[in-house]
Amino acid sequence: MPNIVDVIHLSHRYAVDWAIRDINFSIEKNGILGLLGSNGAGKSTTMNIICGVLNQTEGDVLINGIDLRKNPVEAKREIGFLPQKPPLHPDLTVDEYLVHCAVLRRMDPSKIRKAVDAAKERCEIAHFSNRLIKNLSGGYQQRVGIAQAIVHDPRFVVLDEPTNGLDPNQIVEIRNLVKEIAVDHAVLISTHILSEVQATCDEIRMIDHGHVVFAGSMKEFNDYVVPNSFTASFGVPPTKEELAAIGDILNVEELSKGSYRVRFNGSDEITEKVIEQSIQQGWHLKEIALDHTSLDVIFAQLSGKLKNNV
């Protein structure tokens, strides 16, 4: 299947400082790629270049095979963009706003009405057609923002923090909507939230200080992220010293009576060792669970790996 998006050796600098350096990825139709990074990592610069807002210092961006720099108008016809703060006009109705967006995209006037209805239907906002946008909830305003990004039926949809500020139910609904859009579009999601990428994306590019520190599938990423601590509770609890005496354990923190958080050096067999000791010593292990590694720790690990390989 041909790629909808090709980002090739993309680099950009402001004055003398490089904001991003040698970013590479491709997205096929039906694909969702997550661009993950903390604030200041280079996500916004990357998205601004990909959407044609900013000209890169080096590298190429191809949208459906069209060079974005050489043929910007033609390439931008294939791009839909939802910024972190949706560019809504609160005093317009949903219909008025989406028609306005379709006109800005230079759509054929004879096709605008059908396109607006299709976007509303897909985003499940048709029943709010005549409602002022300012009177919609945050979740429905986000749906209107997504509708404007797809009203012209682009091949490539870019979503910046699409669930930002939403409640848990709205987050689930928007995630499902993004997956539905990806059925016939290539989608890029930019976020600093690891769980957002894990819930929606097929591929991931993690950026730190302008460099890609991880590139691969979501499965490969989850296999890489090895927990370094676990919690355990016991009916007949051991002392902290007894737990710490087990090989590969670095630190033991008592959370409550009989419950501990244990940090270890990455050994795959540590939980088996604890279970075995609990049986032998009669500690009556009640529960043991690996902790998820925090995003900050993952960034530190991946950035350190990058620096060591430079």
Side-chain angles (χ1 to χ4, degrees):
M1 182 182 296
N3 296 328
I4 301 298
V5 182
D6 289 294
V7 175
I8 306 163
H9 300 304
L10 192 64
S11 298
H12 187 71
R13 64 182 173 193
Y14 301 100
V16 297
D17 296 323
W18 289 97
I20 56 171
R21 201 75 173 112
D22 200 29
I23 307 293
N24 295 275
F25 60 80
S26 298
I27 313 176
E28 298 179 346
K29 183 179 178 180
N30 311 117
I32 308 179
L33 185 141
L35 190 63
L36 180 65
S38 56
N39 292 329
K43 301 191 308 298
S44 294
T45 297
T46 302
M47 284 191 303
N48 283 337
I49 293 171
I50 291 171
C51 292
V53 177
L54 182 68
N55 282 330
Q56 65 270 32
T57 305
E58 297 176 0
D60 298 295
V61 177
L62 305 180
I63 307 297
N64 199 35
I66 304 166
D67 190 308
L68 181 57
R69 178 179 279 185
K70 294 178 180 177
N71 299 289
V73 173
E74 187 179 353
K76 287 177 185 179
R77 292 184 192 278
E78 303 294 350
I79 302 172
F81 181 36
L82 172 69
Q84 184 173 351
K85 183 176 175 55
L88 304 178
H89 293 272
D91 291 322
L92 296 181
T93 66
V94 171
D95 259 14
E96 289 170 340
Y97 173 68
L98 291 179
V99 168
H100 169 67
C101 292
V103 171
L104 289 178
R105 265 55 178 267
R106 300 184 181 182
M107 292 187 66
D108 182 335
S110 66
K111 297 179 179 179
I112 287 179
R113 184 71 261 166
K114 184 176 180 180
V116 167
D117 289 343
K120 289 188 299 180
E121 193 68 31
R122 169 158 268 181
C123 295
E124 298 183 359
I125 53 174
H127 53 302
F128 290 132
S129 295
N130 298 314
R131 181 80 61 90
L132 292 178
I133 292 174
K134 65 182 178 183
N135 293 331
L136 298 178
S137 68
Y140 278 108
Q141 286 190 10
Q142 195 75 337
R143 286 175 179 268
V144 174
I146 294 174
Q148 67 78 27
I150 65 171
V151 69
H152 56 305
D153 194 26
R155 293 176 183 268
F156 178 40
V157 180
V158 181
L159 306 173
D160 187 5
E161 305 281 0
T163 60
N164 187 44
L166 302 183
D167 65 39
N169 289 333
Q170 293 170 335
I171 287 173
V172 172
E173 291 171 356
I174 294 299
R175 285 175 178 172
N176 290 335
L177 175 57
V178 170
K179 290 176 183 177
E180 183 183 335
I181 290 171
V183 170
D184 48 14
H185 299 78
V187 177
L188 172 69
I189 293 178
S190 173
T191 182
H192 66 281
I193 303 172
L194 178 58
S195 59
E196 191 66 36
V197 173
Q198 290 174 316
T200 56
C201 298
D202 310 307
E203 293 275 328
I204 180 173
R205 295 297 181 274
M206 182 179 281
I207 298 179
D208 188 39
H209 292 95
H211 293 270
V212 173
V213 293
F214 182 88
S217 68
M218 206 63 246
K219 180 181 184 305
E220 289 169 334
F221 180 77
N222 289 331
D223 289 343
Y224 179 90
V225 181
V226 179
N228 59 6
S229 67
F230 64 85
T231 54
S233 57
F234 303 87
V236 183
T239 64
K240 290 170 61 176
E241 292 72 22
E242 286 175 316
L243 268 180
I246 298 174
D248 299 320
I249 287 181
L250 304 176
N251 175 264
V252 179
E253 175 190 359
E254 186 171 6
L255 302 176
S256 60
K257 184 174 177 58
S259 179
Y260 301 92
R261 171 166 283 111
V262 179
R263 291 178 173 81
F264 58 96
N265 70 357
S267 169
D268 293 336
E269 301 174 354
I270 187 63
T271 53
E272 287 81 357
K273 291 180 180 179
V274 173
I275 293 169
E276 183 179 328
Q277 282 294 309
S278 177
I279 293 170
Q280 290 179 2
Q281 303 298 329
W283 295 340
H284 295 185
L285 178 66
K286 295 194 293 185
E287 184 179 13
I288 187 167
L290 290 167
D291 294 329
H292 292 293
T293 307
S294 73
L295 185 57
D296 289 341
V297 171
I298 296 168
F299 273 129
Q301 291 173 347
L302 291 168
S303 298
K305 180 179 177 183
L306 175 72
K307 291 172 184 175
N308 291 334
N309 290 336
V310 172

